[in-house]
Amino acid sequence: MQCKYPFSILTFLLCFSFFSQELSAQKGRIVPNCPMNIIIAIDFSGSERAYLDEIRTALVALTEPFELDEAKLKVGIITFNRGAQLVLPLTGDTQKLDEAIHDLRMARLVYATDIHAAIDLANKEFSKHSERSVYNYFVLISDGDPHAHARGHGWQADLINIDRLKAGDPSINMEPIHVFTLYTGSMSPFRSRFGGTVEKASVNHMKKMATDGKSFFYFEQYPELVEYFLRISNCL
């Protein structure tokens, strides 16, 4: 693109704006044909601090292929440790999504994994955007709750809340919600602390929360989840 106006600060800003729009279009992001809402919940407990960069990489991989759109695709982000925080309410604004991902920080170490709180918060957020024929997807990125499995209790509320989430709510036209789980524990430097039995329990817990056997992924398999969303975005 060439700017045909006499050079000035205003001209420069106009040219830069047009140039930025061209660069954005070159990214090749796609707007899905099939309307959907996606909420991604990220474990911000202390055991995840060593590989936050890897988790961010997966988060970018899941979202970067898509251009958000109020009618076609909204994405939200939740973080959780002791309680859960709605970092990004469901939005159709791509810039807001990119900024939220860029700004993600684990401000303090909290050794708590309140998965049930993240699920409950996601359910409330989905219900605000319930619409017939709009598919809802929940992606849980976590190492499970090894401390709870070591104690033998503290994880049951996760299963209660996830069943409620999966069911949707016909009274408000909220379709059943498909749940994907991405298990990060295989990367953890703390694996040996808990032992194989606890690790296996954490893996099984993440599998139980997923909608089905094909909806559970180990962290290194996240490209397969990206590919799944690319397929369904075209109604395949």
PDB file of all heavy atoms in Angstrom, residues 9 20 22 25-26 46 48 50-51 67 84 88 100 102 114 131 134-135 138 157 175 180-181 183 226 234:
ATOM      1  N   ILE A   9       2.403  13.936  10.515  1.00  0.00           N
ATOM      2  CA  ILE A   9       2.158  12.969  11.590  1.00  0.00           C
ATOM      3  C   ILE A   9       0.815  12.285  11.382  1.00  0.00           C
ATOM      4  O   ILE A   9       0.676  11.066  11.537  1.00  0.00           O
ATOM      5  CB  ILE A   9       2.185  13.681  12.953  1.00  0.00           C
ATOM      6  CG1 ILE A   9       3.599  14.169  13.247  1.00  0.00           C
ATOM      7  CG2 ILE A   9       1.714  12.740  14.061  1.00  0.00           C
ATOM      8  CD1 ILE A   9       3.708  14.940  14.549  1.00  0.00           C
ATOM      9  N   SER A  20      -1.303  -1.848   9.517  1.00  0.00           N
ATOM     10  CA  SER A  20      -1.575  -2.799  10.595  1.00  0.00           C
ATOM     11  C   SER A  20      -2.756  -3.688  10.248  1.00  0.00           C
ATOM     12  O   SER A  20      -2.758  -4.888  10.530  1.00  0.00           O
ATOM     13  CB  SER A  20      -1.864  -2.043  11.899  1.00  0.00           C
ATOM     14  OG  SER A  20      -0.742  -1.313  12.294  1.00  0.00           O
ATOM     15  N   GLU A  22      -3.650  -4.563   7.255  1.00  0.00           N
ATOM     16  CA  GLU A  22      -3.197  -5.508   6.247  1.00  0.00           C
ATOM     17  C   GLU A  22      -2.439  -6.652   6.894  1.00  0.00           C
ATOM     18  O   GLU A  22      -2.604  -7.822   6.534  1.00  0.00           O
ATOM     19  CB  GLU A  22      -2.316  -4.795   5.217  1.00  0.00           C
ATOM     20  CG  GLU A  22      -3.081  -3.846   4.311  1.00  0.00           C
ATOM     21  CD  GLU A  22      -2.164  -3.123   3.339  1.00  0.00           C
ATOM     22  OE1 GLU A  22      -0.945  -3.327   3.413  1.00  0.00           O
ATOM     23  OE2 GLU A  22      -2.677  -2.358   2.502  1.00  0.00           O
ATOM     24  N   ALA A  25      -4.822  -9.090   8.508  1.00  0.00           N
ATOM     25  CA  ALA A  25      -5.487  -9.951   7.527  1.00  0.00           C
ATOM     26  C   ALA A  25      -4.557 -11.052   7.047  1.00  0.00           C
ATOM     27  O   ALA A  25      -5.006 -12.156   6.707  1.00  0.00           O
ATOM     28  CB  ALA A  25      -5.945  -9.109   6.342  1.00  0.00           C
ATOM     29  N   GLN A  26      -3.240 -10.769   7.062  1.00  0.00           N
ATOM     30  CA  GLN A  26      -2.285 -11.747   6.566  1.00  0.00           C
ATOM     31  C   GLN A  26      -2.090 -12.910   7.538  1.00  0.00           C
ATOM     32  O   GLN A  26      -1.487 -13.920   7.188  1.00  0.00           O
ATOM     33  CB  GLN A  26      -0.931 -11.071   6.299  1.00  0.00           C
ATOM     34  CG  GLN A  26      -0.956 -10.116   5.100  1.00  0.00           C
ATOM     35  CD  GLN A  26       0.303  -9.284   5.004  1.00  0.00           C
ATOM     36  OE1 GLN A  26       1.253  -9.489   5.756  1.00  0.00           O
ATOM     37  NE2 GLN A  26       0.316  -8.335   4.086  1.00  0.00           N
ATOM     38  N   GLY A  46       0.475 -23.840  42.562  1.00  0.00           N
ATOM     39  CA  GLY A  46       1.928 -23.769  42.653  1.00  0.00           C
ATOM     40  C   GLY A  46       2.654 -24.853  41.878  1.00  0.00           C
ATOM     41  O   GLY A  46       3.759 -24.628  41.372  1.00  0.00           O
ATOM     42  N   GLU A  48       2.158 -25.854  39.024  1.00  0.00           N
ATOM     43  CA  GLU A  48       2.208 -25.559  37.596  1.00  0.00           C
ATOM     44  C   GLU A  48       3.222 -24.460  37.248  1.00  0.00           C
ATOM     45  O   GLU A  48       3.453 -24.180  36.080  1.00  0.00           O
ATOM     46  CB  GLU A  48       0.816 -25.099  37.098  1.00  0.00           C
ATOM     47  CG  GLU A  48      -0.310 -26.085  37.314  1.00  0.00           C
ATOM     48  CD  GLU A  48      -0.345 -27.164  36.255  1.00  0.00           C
ATOM     49  OE1 GLU A  48       0.723 -27.737  35.960  1.00  0.00           O
ATOM     50  OE2 GLU A  48      -1.427 -27.417  35.719  1.00  0.00           O
ATOM     51  N   ALA A  50       6.369 -24.157  37.134  1.00  0.00           N
ATOM     52  CA  ALA A  50       7.591 -24.468  36.391  1.00  0.00           C
ATOM     53  C   ALA A  50       7.365 -24.532  34.888  1.00  0.00           C
ATOM     54  O   ALA A  50       8.312 -24.430  34.110  1.00  0.00           O
ATOM     55  CB  ALA A  50       8.187 -25.787  36.879  1.00  0.00           C
ATOM     56  N   TYR A  51       6.119 -24.724  34.475  1.00  0.00           N
ATOM     57  CA  TYR A  51       5.881 -24.851  33.038  1.00  0.00           C
ATOM     58  C   TYR A  51       4.732 -23.981  32.557  1.00  0.00           C
ATOM     59  O   TYR A  51       3.960 -24.339  31.679  1.00  0.00           O
ATOM     60  CB  TYR A  51       5.662 -26.323  32.641  1.00  0.00           C
ATOM     61  CG  TYR A  51       4.817 -27.142  33.594  1.00  0.00           C
ATOM     62  CD1 TYR A  51       3.461 -27.300  33.379  1.00  0.00           C
ATOM     63  CD2 TYR A  51       5.393 -27.776  34.681  1.00  0.00           C
ATOM     64  CE1 TYR A  51       2.697 -28.066  34.230  1.00  0.00           C
ATOM     65  CE2 TYR A  51       4.630 -28.535  35.532  1.00  0.00           C
ATOM     66  CZ  TYR A  51       3.299 -28.687  35.315  1.00  0.00           C
ATOM     67  OH  TYR A  51       2.542 -29.442  36.171  1.00  0.00           O
ATOM     68  N   GLU A  67     -10.314 -16.158  14.245  1.00  0.00           N
ATOM     69  CA  GLU A  67     -10.754 -14.771  14.417  1.00  0.00           C
ATOM     70  C   GLU A  67     -12.070 -14.829  15.186  1.00  0.00           C
ATOM     71  O   GLU A  67     -13.026 -15.491  14.756  1.00  0.00           O
ATOM     72  CB  GLU A  67     -10.962 -14.100  13.063  1.00  0.00           C
ATOM     73  CG  GLU A  67     -11.279 -12.622  13.143  1.00  0.00           C
ATOM     74  CD  GLU A  67     -10.082 -11.787  13.553  1.00  0.00           C
ATOM     75  OE1 GLU A  67      -8.935 -12.163  13.230  1.00  0.00           O
ATOM     76  OE2 GLU A  67     -10.302 -10.758  14.218  1.00  0.00           O
ATOM     77  N   ALA A  84     -11.478 -19.468  41.849  1.00  0.00           N
ATOM     78  CA  ALA A  84     -11.309 -19.312  40.399  1.00  0.00           C
ATOM     79  C   ALA A  84     -11.566 -17.866  40.017  1.00  0.00           C
ATOM     80  O   ALA A  84     -12.355 -17.164  40.664  1.00  0.00           O
ATOM     81  CB  ALA A  84     -12.259 -20.235  39.642  1.00  0.00           C
ATOM     82  N   LEU A  88     -11.006 -13.559  31.505  1.00  0.00           N
ATOM     83  CA  LEU A  88     -11.601 -13.006  30.289  1.00  0.00           C
ATOM     84  C   LEU A  88     -13.007 -13.565  30.119  1.00  0.00           C
ATOM     85  O   LEU A  88     -13.166 -14.740  29.785  1.00  0.00           O
ATOM     86  CB  LEU A  88     -10.737 -13.350  29.064  1.00  0.00           C
ATOM     87  CG  LEU A  88     -11.253 -12.825  27.720  1.00  0.00           C
ATOM     88  CD1 LEU A  88     -11.102 -11.310  27.641  1.00  0.00           C
ATOM     89  CD2 LEU A  88     -10.503 -13.483  26.556  1.00  0.00           C
ATOM     90  N   ALA A 100      -5.287 -10.707  26.818  1.00  0.00           N
ATOM     91  CA  ALA A 100      -5.465 -11.491  28.048  1.00  0.00           C
ATOM     92  C   ALA A 100      -4.419 -12.601  28.133  1.00  0.00           C
ATOM     93  O   ALA A 100      -3.858 -12.852  29.207  1.00  0.00           O
ATOM     94  CB  ALA A 100      -6.873 -12.074  28.098  1.00  0.00           C
ATOM     95  N   HIS A 102      -1.469 -12.628  26.645  1.00  0.00           N
ATOM     96  CA  HIS A 102      -0.165 -11.979  26.823  1.00  0.00           C
ATOM     97  C   HIS A 102       0.052 -11.567  28.280  1.00  0.00           C
ATOM     98  O   HIS A 102       1.181 -11.637  28.800  1.00  0.00           O
ATOM     99  CB  HIS A 102      -0.061 -10.754  25.916  1.00  0.00           C
ATOM    100  CG  HIS A 102       1.228 -10.003  26.057  1.00  0.00           C
ATOM    101  ND1 HIS A 102       1.390  -8.959  26.946  1.00  0.00           N
ATOM    102  CD2 HIS A 102       2.431 -10.153  25.434  1.00  0.00           C
ATOM    103  CE1 HIS A 102       2.627  -8.504  26.874  1.00  0.00           C
ATOM    104  NE2 HIS A 102       3.282  -9.204  25.964  1.00  0.00           N
ATOM    105  N   ASP A 114      -8.511 -25.747  43.093  1.00  0.00           N
ATOM    106  CA  ASP A 114      -9.974 -25.760  43.186  1.00  0.00           C
ATOM    107  C   ASP A 114     -10.606 -25.901  41.801  1.00  0.00           C
ATOM    108  O   ASP A 114     -11.225 -24.962  41.271  1.00  0.00           O
ATOM    109  CB  ASP A 114     -10.471 -24.499  43.883  1.00  0.00           C
ATOM    110  CG  ASP A 114     -10.131 -24.479  45.371  1.00  0.00           C
ATOM    111  OD1 ASP A 114      -9.670 -25.518  45.889  1.00  0.00           O
ATOM    112  OD2 ASP A 114     -10.319 -23.425  46.015  1.00  0.00           O
ATOM    113  N   GLU A 131     -27.629 -20.002  23.993  1.00  0.00           N
ATOM    114  CA  GLU A 131     -28.356 -19.756  22.750  1.00  0.00           C
ATOM    115  C   GLU A 131     -28.499 -21.072  22.001  1.00  0.00           C
ATOM    116  O   GLU A 131     -27.521 -21.821  21.872  1.00  0.00           O
ATOM    117  CB  GLU A 131     -27.602 -18.732  21.891  1.00  0.00           C
ATOM    118  CG  GLU A 131     -28.366 -18.250  20.680  1.00  0.00           C
ATOM    119  CD  GLU A 131     -27.628 -17.158  19.924  1.00  0.00           C
ATOM    120  OE1 GLU A 131     -26.635 -16.621  20.455  1.00  0.00           O
ATOM    121  OE2 GLU A 131     -28.053 -16.843  18.799  1.00  0.00           O
ATOM    122  N   VAL A 134     -25.880 -23.014  19.437  1.00  0.00           N
ATOM    123  CA  VAL A 134     -24.502 -22.585  19.660  1.00  0.00           C
ATOM    124  C   VAL A 134     -23.847 -23.628  20.563  1.00  0.00           C
ATOM    125  O   VAL A 134     -24.300 -23.859  21.680  1.00  0.00           O
ATOM    126  CB  VAL A 134     -24.424 -21.192  20.315  1.00  0.00           C
ATOM    127  CG1 VAL A 134     -22.980 -20.840  20.658  1.00  0.00           C
ATOM    128  CG2 VAL A 134     -25.014 -20.139  19.389  1.00  0.00           C
ATOM    129  N   TYR A 135     -22.820 -24.273  20.077  1.00  0.00           N
ATOM    130  CA  TYR A 135     -22.157 -25.335  20.819  1.00  0.00           C
ATOM    131  C   TYR A 135     -21.184 -24.754  21.840  1.00  0.00           C
ATOM    132  O   TYR A 135     -20.487 -23.779  21.574  1.00  0.00           O
ATOM    133  CB  TYR A 135     -21.430 -26.281  19.869  1.00  0.00           C
ATOM    134  CG  TYR A 135     -22.355 -27.005  18.933  1.00  0.00           C
ATOM    135  CD1 TYR A 135     -22.531 -26.571  17.622  1.00  0.00           C
ATOM    136  CD2 TYR A 135     -23.086 -28.109  19.370  1.00  0.00           C
ATOM    137  CE1 TYR A 135     -23.395 -27.223  16.767  1.00  0.00           C
ATOM    138  CE2 TYR A 135     -23.957 -28.774  18.522  1.00  0.00           C
ATOM    139  CZ  TYR A 135     -24.113 -28.325  17.211  1.00  0.00           C
ATOM    140  OH  TYR A 135     -24.980 -28.968  16.367  1.00  0.00           O
ATOM    141  N   PHE A 138     -15.715 -26.727  26.904  1.00  0.00           N
ATOM    142  CA  PHE A 138     -14.928 -26.386  28.078  1.00  0.00           C
ATOM    143  C   PHE A 138     -13.616 -27.151  28.017  1.00  0.00           C
ATOM    144  O   PHE A 138     -13.613 -28.379  27.875  1.00  0.00           O
ATOM    145  CB  PHE A 138     -15.688 -26.751  29.352  1.00  0.00           C
ATOM    146  CG  PHE A 138     -14.962 -26.439  30.638  1.00  0.00           C
ATOM    147  CD1 PHE A 138     -14.636 -25.135  30.964  1.00  0.00           C
ATOM    148  CD2 PHE A 138     -14.626 -27.460  31.515  1.00  0.00           C
ATOM    149  CE1 PHE A 138     -13.977 -24.846  32.162  1.00  0.00           C
ATOM    150  CE2 PHE A 138     -13.971 -27.182  32.718  1.00  0.00           C
ATOM    151  CZ  PHE A 138     -13.641 -25.870  33.041  1.00  0.00           C
ATOM    152  N   ALA A 157     -16.043 -32.973  44.622  1.00  0.00           N
ATOM    153  CA  ALA A 157     -16.842 -31.842  44.132  1.00  0.00           C
ATOM    154  C   ALA A 157     -16.571 -31.567  42.656  1.00  0.00           C
ATOM    155  O   ALA A 157     -17.454 -31.064  41.946  1.00  0.00           O
ATOM    156  CB  ALA A 157     -16.560 -30.588  44.963  1.00  0.00           C
ATOM    157  N   GLU A 175     -27.204 -25.799  25.378  1.00  0.00           N
ATOM    158  CA  GLU A 175     -26.910 -27.153  24.922  1.00  0.00           C
ATOM    159  C   GLU A 175     -25.942 -27.843  25.881  1.00  0.00           C
ATOM    160  O   GLU A 175     -25.204 -27.181  26.621  1.00  0.00           O
ATOM    161  CB  GLU A 175     -26.283 -27.105  23.522  1.00  0.00           C
ATOM    162  CG  GLU A 175     -27.123 -26.428  22.457  1.00  0.00           C
ATOM    163  CD  GLU A 175     -28.232 -27.333  21.948  1.00  0.00           C
ATOM    164  OE1 GLU A 175     -28.255 -28.516  22.316  1.00  0.00           O
ATOM    165  OE2 GLU A 175     -29.091 -26.846  21.189  1.00  0.00           O
ATOM    166  N   PHE A 180     -13.225 -31.088  27.372  1.00  0.00           N
ATOM    167  CA  PHE A 180     -11.911 -31.630  27.037  1.00  0.00           C
ATOM    168  C   PHE A 180     -10.991 -31.416  28.238  1.00  0.00           C
ATOM    169  O   PHE A 180     -11.047 -30.375  28.894  1.00  0.00           O
ATOM    170  CB  PHE A 180     -11.297 -30.899  25.832  1.00  0.00           C
ATOM    171  CG  PHE A 180     -12.055 -31.079  24.554  1.00  0.00           C
ATOM    172  CD1 PHE A 180     -12.958 -30.112  24.136  1.00  0.00           C
ATOM    173  CD2 PHE A 180     -11.874 -32.203  23.765  1.00  0.00           C
ATOM    174  CE1 PHE A 180     -13.651 -30.261  22.950  1.00  0.00           C
ATOM    175  CE2 PHE A 180     -12.568 -32.362  22.584  1.00  0.00           C
ATOM    176  CZ  PHE A 180     -13.459 -31.388  22.167  1.00  0.00           C
ATOM    177  N   THR A 181     -10.137 -32.391  28.515  1.00  0.00           N
ATOM    178  CA  THR A 181      -9.145 -32.212  29.566  1.00  0.00           C
ATOM    179  C   THR A 181      -7.753 -32.429  28.992  1.00  0.00           C
ATOM    180  O   THR A 181      -7.530 -33.351  28.203  1.00  0.00           O
ATOM    181  CB  THR A 181      -9.374 -33.165  30.754  1.00  0.00           C
ATOM    182  OG1 THR A 181      -9.366 -34.529  30.296  1.00  0.00           O
ATOM    183  CG2 THR A 181     -10.709 -32.872  31.431  1.00  0.00           C
ATOM    184  N   TYR A 183      -4.003 -32.931  30.315  1.00  0.00           N
ATOM    185  CA  TYR A 183      -3.268 -33.279  31.539  1.00  0.00           C
ATOM    186  C   TYR A 183      -1.822 -32.820  31.450  1.00  0.00           C
ATOM    187  O   TYR A 183      -1.065 -33.277  30.590  1.00  0.00           O
ATOM    188  CB  TYR A 183      -3.334 -34.790  31.770  1.00  0.00           C
ATOM    189  CG  TYR A 183      -2.526 -35.259  32.958  1.00  0.00           C
ATOM    190  CD1 TYR A 183      -2.925 -34.949  34.257  1.00  0.00           C
ATOM    191  CD2 TYR A 183      -1.359 -36.002  32.782  1.00  0.00           C
ATOM    192  CE1 TYR A 183      -2.185 -35.378  35.348  1.00  0.00           C
ATOM    193  CE2 TYR A 183      -0.612 -36.427  33.863  1.00  0.00           C
ATOM    194  CZ  TYR A 183      -1.030 -36.115  35.152  1.00  0.00           C
ATOM    195  OH  TYR A 183      -0.282 -36.536  36.234  1.00  0.00           O
ATOM    196  N   VAL A 226      -6.044 -28.977  18.961  1.00  0.00           N
ATOM    197  CA  VAL A 226      -6.102 -27.860  18.015  1.00  0.00           C
ATOM    198  C   VAL A 226      -6.731 -28.324  16.706  1.00  0.00           C
ATOM    199  O   VAL A 226      -7.615 -27.659  16.146  1.00  0.00           O
ATOM    200  CB  VAL A 226      -4.699 -27.276  17.751  1.00  0.00           C
ATOM    201  CG1 VAL A 226      -4.759 -26.206  16.666  1.00  0.00           C
ATOM    202  CG2 VAL A 226      -4.099 -26.709  19.034  1.00  0.00           C
ATOM    203  N   ASN A 234     -15.442 -25.953  10.860  1.00  0.00           N
ATOM    204  CA  ASN A 234     -16.017 -26.055   9.525  1.00  0.00           C
ATOM    205  C   ASN A 234     -17.174 -27.040   9.471  1.00  0.00           C
ATOM    206  O   ASN A 234     -17.542 -27.533   8.408  1.00  0.00           O
ATOM    207  CB  ASN A 234     -14.931 -26.484   8.517  1.00  0.00           C
ATOM    208  CG  ASN A 234     -13.956 -25.369   8.256  1.00  0.00           C
ATOM    209  OD1 ASN A 234     -14.338 -24.271   7.906  1.00  0.00           O
ATOM    210  ND2 ASN A 234     -12.678 -25.647   8.420  1.00  0.00           N
TER     211      ASN A 234
END
